[in-house]
Amino acid sequence: MGVTRREFLFISGAMGAGLALSSLGVDMLPVVAYAEGLSKIDKVKSAKEMYSLCYHCAVTCGLICSTDTKTGKIINIEGDPDNPINEGSLCAKGAASLQMSARNENRLTRVLYRKPGGNQWEVKTWDWALTRIAKNIKAVRDKEFIVKNAKGQVVNRVEALAHMGSSKLDNEECWMITTAMRALGLVYLDHQARVCHAPSVASLAESLGRGSMTNHPIDIGNSDCVLVMGGNAAEAHPITFRWAVRAKDKGAKIIHVDPRFTRTSAIADHHAFLRAGTDIAFLGGMIKYILDNNKYFEEYVRNYTNASCSIDEKFSFKDGLFSGYDPAARKYDKSTWVFRLDANGVPEKDPTLKNPRCVLQMMKAHYARYDLEKVSSITGTPVEDLKTIYELYSSTGVRDKAGTILYALGWTQHTVGVQNIRTMTIVQLLLGNIGIAGGGVNALRGQPNVQGSTDQAILAHILPGYLKTPAASLTTLDEYLARNTPKTREPQSANWYQNTPKYMVSLLKSWYGDKAIKENGFAYSYLPKIDDGQDATLLDMIDKMYAGKIKGFTCVGQNPACSNPNAGKTRKALANLDWMVHINIFDNETASFWKGPGMDPKKIKTEVFLLPAAAQMEKAGSMTNTGRWLQWKYTAEKPPGDALSMGDILYRLVMKLKDLYKKEKGTFPDPILDLQWNYADVKGMYDSTAVAKAMNGYFLDDVTVGDKSFKKGECVPGFSYLQADGKTSCGIWIHCGSFTQDGTNLIARRKKDDPTGLGLYPEWAWAWPMNRRILYNRASVDEKGQPWDPRRAVLKWADGKWVGDVPDGPWPPLSDKEKGKLPFIMKPDGVASLFGPGLADGPFPEHYEPLESPLSKSLISAQLSSPVIRIFNSDCDKIAGCDPRFPLVCTTYSCTEHWCTGADTRWQSWLTETMPQAYVEISREFADLRGIENGEKVKVESVRGKVECVAMVTTRLRPLKVGGQTLHQVGITYNYGWLFPKDCGDSANLLTPTAGDPNTGTPEYRAFMVNVTKV
C-alpha cells in the first residue's frame, strides 16, 4: 500500500502505542497499530486544518492543528511542512503540543480563588473575580498613588502595584498589557525578557543600533563557520540547529565552546571546554589574535565602524578599572569616555588606523594582556584548543567568507552578560560579519514571543518600539523629545532616531486618541515617570515585595517562584503581598506558593486569584520569532471550560476599572477613563486584528507625504509616513507597515518565493522593520554598492536602485557623497561601535570573575569582580565566593524535553516520561573523589539553599586547570519545581544568587559556588 509522508508519520505514532501494548504481553502491534494509524489518517483527512505556532522557544515553528468538524476539538497537531523555518520538523516539546490543548486534563478550566489564610482553592465566576480584582487594584492605586516625588517633580505613578509577564502571549495581548499597566501608573513592570535576553538588547543596541538578532534562523544555513557559544543549540533550539547542520553539509565548520560536552559538541567539528563565567577572557583572546595577526577586514572596519575615531586623552584603564570610577557610589562618571572632536563637532578620525589614540589601537592595547597562556589560565581551555578555534573563526574575515555566532542564556545570564555579547559583536565587526548572509550576532531566544513582548515593552525602562520611558526630570513632552532625540553632525549619518517625535506622538495618539492634543502635550502627563536613576526591574521589584512595599501583583504566564534567582526569597516575598492575580494554562509553583515547602497557609495573608487562560492554538494573533518574523496564527478550538484568552481577560478587567472610576472617581482617573479601549468585536469578545491594526497605526486626518496622499481612517503603510503633529496614530512604530494602506494583514502571508535564493522568503509573514530580513544589510556592500561576496548578495546597487532584501535605508551607496548614508542608521554617527561608551561597566569588555568565584584574586587585573554589579542586602541575599564550604563551580541549563521551569511541560506526560526528575551532572573524577555512584540521590547546596536530585555521573564534564589548580564544575537543570509531578525535585534557582548585570539587572544564573554531597 502506498502512503504519503504525512500518513507514514501517523502510522509510526500509532506503532508506538501498539508497542506499549505488546510490552504488557499482548502482541497487538500488527493489528492495533495499523488500524489506529489508518483511523487517525481518515479523521485528519476530514478534519479542518488551522495554522498555529509552537508555544515554546522563539524559533516559533509552524504547526498544523487538525480539528474534528463534529466536536470542534483538536485531534492532531503536527509541524507545518510549508513553513520555511521548520519545514514540518518539531523538537520534542513541539511534537507534544497536543498535550497543551484542551485534551490535557490538567489544564485550568475554572476561575480559582484562595482567600487569605485559606488552605484550598474555591471555584468562582469570572464576573465575581474580575469585579474583586478591579476593586483591589483601585483601592491600592488610590491609596498609594504618587503625584510628586521627593524633588517635587510630577511623576503620576504607583509603586505599590507590580506586574510580571508575559512572553507566552501574542503580540496584541502584550501590547494591551503595556498599555493598561501604564494607564494605571505602574513603574514596576517586567517579564521574562529580564531574566533571559535583556542583555542582548542593551549590548546589540549599543554596538549596532538595534537590540535584536541581526539575521534569522534560516540564514544560518548560509554560513561558512558557525560558532555556538553561550548555548547548546542542538538541545535547546533543535530546529534552529538544523540550519547549522545544513551549513555543515555544504562544507561549513561548527565550533562549540561550553562548560559541557553536549549534543551540540558531538555534531561540532571542534569543541572546547571552558570555565563557566569566563567567556570574555576567551573572546578577548580572540580579539587579540585577530588584531595581532591582521585577520580583520580592514576596509569594512575602517568605513563601517568607529575604529578610526580618536578617544579623548583623559580616558584610561588601569588595574581593572576604567577612568571615572566612584567607589562610594559604585558607578562610573563616563565624561571621559568620549571622542576628540574636530572643528565641526565630528569625531577626529585616522583612516590609517595607526594613531595610538584611535579606537583600533586603544582596543589592541586593552587586549594585549589576553595572550594564549593567560586566557587558558583563566578559562581552563587548553592553549591548543584556543589556537585552533581562533584561527578557524578568524579565517572568515575576508570578502568571500561568512561566520556566524549562535548564543543563548549561557551568555546573557551573567553579571557581565551585556559585555559577553559586546565582545562577540566586536569580533564580528572586526571580521566584517555584520549585515551579510551567513553572518550576524544571532540571539537564540527561549520564549515563544519574547522578541515580541520586548518589542511591546512589558518592561520598566522602555515604551513600545524601544522608545525611552519618561524620566521624572522630563516634565513636558518637549523636554522628553529634546533629551531622547539624538543629534549628529556627521554629514553621512542617517541618524534614524531623529524621527523619535513622530513615533512618540503617534504612540500617545494610539493610547489616548482625541484626548491627546498638542495643547496638553499629547497627554504626556498621563504617563508614569520613574525617578532619574531609579531601578524598577525584576530584582528590585522582588526586593521591594520582600520588604512589604508592594501590595498587589499580577503575574501572567510566568513562574517566578521557580524562575527567579534566589527563589526562596521570591517565595517569601509573595507571602508579603496583600493579593496576587496569576493567569496561566496550568497551575504552578507561583500560583500555589502558599502551600509549598516551608509554607503555613494559615499564616499567609495573600489573597490569590488563579485565572484560566487560553493556549496558543485557542486564539488568533501574531507572534514574533527570534529573527523578528511576525507570523499569524488562527483559532483551532475553543479554550476549555471557562478559560479565556488573555486579551479577553484584560479587556474585561480594564472595562471594569473604567466603570469603577466613572462611578466612584478616585485618584487621577484620567489615564484610565481616557484610554482608548475599543478592541472588542460585535459580540463583546477581544479582537486581535483590531489591536494589530492599532499597533500598525492609522491616519487620523487626510495626509500628504511627498507625492503620496492618504485618507483619514486608512492604515499607515510604513513608519516613514508617521507624523509628529497628531495626524497619525501608531501603537508601535516598528510594526508600522505590517498592514497595507487598505488594511491587508501582511503578517498572515504564506508565499514561499525566494528571489535571492538565500532563504529570505520576503512574502512569508512579515519582519520588522519594513519586512527587512537581514539588519544592517547595506554593510554587505562596498562603497559603490557592490556585494562583498557576489555569491551571497543580500543587496546590490543596480540601475539606480537596490536589488535584493529590503535595504536598511533607501539611500544610494556611500560613493554618492551628497546622498549616500552610512549603513548603521540607528547609530547617531552612522557606524558600528567597537568603542561603546553608553554602557555602565565600560566601553571595552573586560574579564571579571563572577560574584561568587573559586578565586580570591583575579588572574588578569587587580579587580576581582565587576565593580558595578547590582547587589542586594536583605537577610536572604547571601554570597559565598572562594569559600571552602562551596568548592564547586555550578552552572544551570535546560533539557530538550522541558521548557524553562517546566511550568507547562511537567504537566505533559509524554515529556515527563522522558525526563521525569531533577538531576545534577558531575564528572567521573569528582564522583570518584566523593564516592558518588550514577543514579544516587545527592544534595546540591549553596549558601542560599539546597536541592535534592539524582546524580548523573558523566564524561560530559571534566576537571579544568585554572590558575594552576584543578577545578571541578557541576551542572543542574532548572526545569523542575515541587508542585508536579510528585517527587520530581525542586527548582535549581533555590541555589542561585541575587546579583544583576549593571546595565539590565539580568541575574547571574550561570556561575556560582555549591557543594554536592550524598544524601
Side-chain angles (χ1 to χ4, degrees):
M1 182 189 74
V3 295
T4 65
R5 174 180 178 273
R6 192 176 179 196
E7 290 170 343
F8 172 76
L9 292 173
F10 287 143
I11 293 173
S12 300
M15 291 280 280
L19 186 61
L21 284 173
S22 68
S23 69
L24 299 175
V26 183
D27 188 9
M28 299 182 69
L29 181 62
V31 179
V32 174
Y34 186 71
E36 288 186 355
L38 290 180
S39 175
K40 187 173 185 181
I41 291 171
D42 290 338
K43 288 181 180 179
V44 171
K45 281 182 175 179
S46 63
K48 182 179 181 181
E49 291 185 351
M50 302 298 287
Y51 301 118
S52 192
L53 298 168
C54 186
Y55 206 48
H56 297 293
C57 82
V59 182
T60 320
C61 294
L63 303 176
I64 295 178
C65 299
S66 298
T67 304
D68 190 299
T69 55
K70 295 180 180 179
T71 65
K73 299 297 183 183
I74 296 174
I75 58 174
N76 185 67
I77 298 178
E78 60 189 293
D80 181 356
D82 291 329
N83 191 302
I85 299 167
N86 61 308
E87 301 177 318
S89 299
L90 296 171
C91 73
K93 296 182 289 293
S97 292
L98 189 61
Q99 288 200 319
M100 296 279 282
S101 73
R103 291 176 55 137
N104 192 323
E105 63 183 12
N106 297 307
R107 281 285 300 275
L108 292 171
T109 61
R110 298 289 182 264
V111 175
L112 301 178
Y113 173 73
R114 184 259 181 186
K115 64 185 179 183
N119 61 3
Q120 61 184 4
W121 293 112
E122 303 173 23
V123 176
K124 297 292 184 180
T125 66
W126 273 112
D127 187 67
W128 183 92
L130 292 178
T131 299
R132 189 168 180 84
I133 293 167
K135 288 182 177 180
N136 282 352
I137 291 172
K138 185 176 186 298
V140 174
R141 183 180 183 275
D142 287 352
K143 181 180 179 182
E144 303 287 346
F145 198 83
I146 302 170
V147 176
K148 293 184 178 181
N149 63 9
K151 294 182 178 179
Q153 298 164 329
V154 175
V155 293
N156 287 333
R157 68 177 185 240
V158 59
E159 296 185 357
L161 294 173
H163 173 88
M164 193 181 294
S166 175
S167 59
K168 295 286 282 182
L169 300 176
D170 299 346
N171 283 314
E172 297 73 26
E173 294 171 313
C174 292
W175 187 81
M176 290 179 72
I177 286 176
T178 198
T179 297
M181 296 304 158
R182 287 186 160 90
L184 290 171
L186 270 70
V187 291
Y188 283 106
L189 176 66
D190 221 326
H191 78 294
Q192 288 95 328
R194 183 67 55 197
V195 297
C196 59
H197 274 279
S200 295
V201 178
S203 176
L204 294 175
E206 174 67 12
S207 305
L208 308 174
R210 301 182 183 95
S212 55
M213 181 177 182
T214 58
N215 296 45
H216 57 90
I218 298 170
D219 183 66
I220 296 163
N222 293 318
S223 190
D224 296 304
C225 189
V226 181
L227 172 58
V228 184
M229 189 172 176
N232 175 16
E235 296 182 65
H237 300 88
I239 305 305
T240 291
F241 195 65
R242 288 175 68 250
W243 294 102
V245 173
R246 194 163 298 183
K248 183 177 181 180
D249 291 343
K250 294 187 291 185
K253 299 296 183 182
I254 298 177
I255 303 166
H256 189 217
V257 181
D258 197 83
R260 296 184 301 148
F261 188 94
T262 67
R263 289 178 177 87
T264 302
S265 316
I267 294 173
D269 297 278
H270 299 278
H271 169 263
F273 288 98
L274 90 165
R275 175 166 63 98
T278 62
D279 303 80
I280 291 174
F282 187 102
L283 295 172
M286 187 182 290
I287 292 172
K288 175 177 169 59
Y289 186 90
I290 291 168
L291 294 175
D292 287 354
N293 294 282
N294 294 316
K295 294 282 189 177
Y296 60 94
F297 190 167
E298 184 172 348
E299 186 177 353
Y300 186 105
V301 170
R302 181 175 60 250
N303 293 330
Y304 296 159
T305 77
N306 63 9
S308 65
C309 297
S310 295
I311 300 173
D312 190 272
E313 295 290 346
K314 295 180 181 178
F315 170 78
S316 64
F317 176 82
K318 183 179 180 182
D319 294 335
L321 295 173
F322 296 94
S323 52
Y325 183 65
D326 181 347
R330 297 189 65 255
K331 64 185 297 186
Y332 282 105
D333 171 359
K334 298 186 286 186
S335 60
T336 62
W337 303 3
V338 294
F339 295 126
R340 294 193 303 216
L341 304 180
D342 64 17
N344 296 316
V346 176
E348 293 181 3
K349 299 181 180 70
D350 171 27
T352 69
L353 304 179
K354 302 299 184 183
N355 187 314
R357 296 300 297 185
C358 81
V359 168
L360 191 77
Q361 293 301 324
M362 292 287 284
M363 184 167 63
K364 189 172 185 178
H366 184 85
Y367 291 105
R369 298 164 294 138
Y370 289 69
D371 58 68
L372 292 169
E373 289 72 22
K374 179 63 70 176
V375 171
S376 178
S377 178
I378 295 169
T379 63
T381 308
V383 167
E384 288 306 311
D385 286 344
L386 293 173
K387 289 168 65 175
T388 298
I389 291 170
Y390 290 174
E391 176 59 29
L392 179 58
Y393 197 77
S394 65
S395 70
T396 65
V398 292
R399 284 174 171 262
D400 61 347
K401 295 289 185 181
T404 191
I405 172 66
L406 310 183
Y407 74 92
L409 305 187
W411 270 1
T412 65
Q413 291 181 331
H414 288 282
T415 50
V416 291
V418 169
Q419 296 288 12
N420 280 339
I421 304 157
R422 267 280 293 154
T423 319
M424 189 64 209
T425 307
I426 289 172
V427 169
Q428 290 295 72
L429 289 169
L430 289 173
L431 299 175
N433 279 328
I434 300 295
I436 66 172
V441 180
N442 293 308
L444 303 186
R445 289 173 166 85
Q447 307 264 346
N449 195 36
V450 73
Q451 179 65 62
S453 56
T454 304
D455 298 341
Q456 314 315 322
I458 308 179
L459 295 158
H461 68 291
I462 56 173
L463 299 176
Y466 304 94
L467 301 174
K468 299 289 197 306
T469 290
S473 61
L474 306 176
T475 59
T476 67
L477 179 61
D478 287 342
E479 290 176 356
Y480 171 90
L481 295 176
R483 170 82 63 86
N484 294 302
T485 304
K487 297 176 178 60
T488 184
R489 295 190 177 184
E490 171 57 59
Q492 287 198 289
S493 171
N495 187 24
W496 194 264
Y497 269 123
Q498 67 179 295
N499 295 298
T500 294
K502 299 176 183 179
Y503 307 150
M504 183 63 175
V505 171
S506 294
L507 172 62
L508 292 169
K509 291 294 291 185
S510 75
W511 281 345
Y512 292 109
D514 292 340
K515 300 294 183 180
I517 58 177
K518 184 176 181 179
E519 289 71 20
N520 68 359
F522 295 102
Y524 174 78
S525 63
Y526 286 7
L527 298 182
K529 296 163 185 67
I530 59 174
D531 290 344
D532 295 64
Q534 181 180 358
D535 181 4
T537 59
L538 183 141
L539 293 181
D540 193 69
M541 178 195 298
I542 296 301
D543 200 54
K544 294 292 191 295
M545 192 183 296
Y546 181 73
K549 295 180 181 179
I550 292 176
K551 308 298 181 182
F553 179 52
T554 55
C555 182
V556 181
Q558 192 162 343
N559 189 18
C562 285
S563 65
N564 280 4
N566 198 0
K569 178 182 179 180
T570 295
R571 296 174 186 184
K572 291 177 182 178
L574 296 174
N576 291 336
L577 292 166
D578 288 346
W579 54 265
M580 176 178 72
V581 178
H582 191 84
I583 304 172
N584 222 316
I585 65 173
F586 296 106
D587 191 5
N588 63 27
E589 287 76 14
T590 299
S592 290
F593 80 92
W594 47 273
K595 56 181 177 180
M599 295 290 179
D600 182 352
K602 296 177 187 176
K603 296 179 180 179
I604 296 173
K605 65 174 182 176
T606 310
E607 184 181 19
V608 183
F609 302 82
L610 179 54
L611 309 183
Q616 87 275 18
M617 70 286 291
E618 295 158 2
K619 56 186 179 179
S622 71
M623 300 172 79
T624 307
N625 77 358
T626 192
R628 299 167 290 103
W629 289 22
L630 284 79
Q631 301 179 90
W632 195 266
K633 58 184 180 59
Y634 300 87
T635 303
E637 70 175 352
K638 293 180 179 179
D642 293 337
L644 292 171
S645 72
M646 182 59 198
D648 273 305
I649 296 169
L650 191 55
Y651 175 79
R652 297 180 187 194
L653 178 59
V654 171
M655 292 306 293
K656 290 275 188 184
L657 283 161
K658 280 177 169 284
D659 288 342
L660 279 175
Y661 273 98
K662 186 175 181 179
K663 293 174 184 176
E664 301 176 6
K665 308 302 179 188
T667 305
F668 196 41
D670 307 58
I672 299 168
L673 294 176
D674 292 347
L675 182 68
Q676 290 206 134
W677 205 245
N678 52 339
Y679 304 124
D681 60 19
V682 293
K683 296 180 180 179
M685 299 297 288
Y686 157 72
D687 184 345
S688 57
T689 300
V691 179
K693 284 186 173 181
M695 293 161 68
N696 174 88
Y698 290 101
F699 289 102
L700 304 179
D701 203 343
D702 292 352
V703 173
T704 298
V705 182
D707 60 352
K708 294 187 178 181
S709 295
F710 305 93
K711 297 292 185 182
K712 179 180 179 180
E714 291 180 336
C715 290
V716 183
F719 47 66
S720 61
Y721 300 111
L722 294 175
Q723 303 295 302
D725 59 4
K727 292 182 179 179
T728 55
S729 68
C730 178
I732 170 170
W733 72 273
I734 59 175
H735 278 212
C736 193
S738 59
F739 282 77
T740 63
Q741 185 176 346
D742 65 3
T744 300
N745 184 357
L746 299 181
I747 304 169
R749 293 181 300 179
R750 290 180 59 85
K751 290 185 179 180
K752 296 276 293 285
D753 296 344
D754 185 22
T756 65
L758 295 172
L760 301 184
Y761 297 104
E763 293 188 87
W764 181 275
W766 186 85
W768 73 256
M770 291 307 296
N771 206 37
R772 190 169 298 124
R773 303 297 164 125
I774 295 181
L775 296 178
Y776 321 109
N777 52 32
R778 287 192 303 113
S780 71
V781 300
D782 62 21
E783 290 189 283
K784 295 180 180 179
Q786 300 308 298
W788 301 119
D789 183 359
R791 295 179 301 111
R792 284 176 284 211
V794 180
L795 277 183
K796 181 179 180 179
W797 184 257
D799 299 323
K801 63 180 180 180
W802 291 109
V803 179
D805 192 12
V806 177
D808 207 346
W811 308 278
L814 281 175
S815 57
D816 185 332
K817 297 301 181 182
E818 182 181 345
K819 297 179 180 178
K821 298 294 182 184
L822 292 159
F824 291 89
I825 66 173
M826 309 308 290
K827 298 288 290 182
D829 53 4
V831 294
S833 297
L834 298 173
F835 181 82
L839 298 178
D841 45 356
F844 291 132
E846 170 70 3
H847 166 71
Y848 296 109
E849 289 292 315
L851 186 59
E852 286 192 345
S853 167
L855 306 179
S856 60
K857 293 182 179 179
S858 170
L859 298 176
I860 201 164
S861 76
Q863 184 67 35
L864 181 62
S865 60
S866 170
V868 290
I869 291 174
R870 294 189 190 181
I871 55 177
F872 296 83
N873 300 303
S874 78
D875 58 343
C876 289
D877 295 307
K878 301 173 183 177
I879 299 296
C882 200
D883 187 321
R885 296 175 298 165
F886 307 106
L888 308 174
V889 174
C890 186
T891 192
T892 64
Y893 42 84
S894 181
C895 65
T896 302
E897 294 77 10
H898 286 297
W899 174 82
C900 295
T901 68
D904 292 340
T905 52
R906 284 186 277 119
W907 295 98
Q908 299 175 55
S909 60
W910 298 348
L911 297 173
T912 52
E913 285 171 5
T914 57
M915 198 60 72
Q917 62 189 131
Y919 59 93
V920 60
E921 292 188 65
I922 60 177
S923 68
R924 286 182 177 176
E925 292 84 350
F926 177 74
D928 290 343
L929 284 174
R930 293 292 176 91
I932 297 172
E933 299 291 333
N934 187 55
E936 285 189 320
K937 272 288 187 76
V938 294
K939 178 176 65 176
V940 184
E941 187 172 11
S942 76
V943 72
R944 291 161 295 279
K946 59 186 177 182
V947 176
E948 290 189 2
C949 54
V950 174
M952 180 186 291
V953 180
T954 177
T955 58
R956 303 204 303 177
L957 283 164
R958 62 181 59 174
L960 300 176
K961 284 289 184 181
V962 175
Q965 61 180 315
T966 299
L967 186 69
H968 292 279
Q969 298 189 109
V970 300
I972 185 169
T973 58
Y974 50 73
N975 304 123
Y976 298 93
W978 59 266
L979 182 63
F980 189 85
K982 184 179 179 182
D983 299 326
C984 72
D986 210 339
S987 173
N989 284 321
L990 292 167
L991 309 172
T992 50
T994 309
D997 179 286
N999 301 284
T1000 64
T1002 298
E1004 173 69 79
Y1005 293 100
R1006 300 294 173 137
F1008 54 97
M1009 304 304 294
V1010 300
N1011 198 9
V1012 177
T1013 55
K1014 294 175 67 171
V1015 173

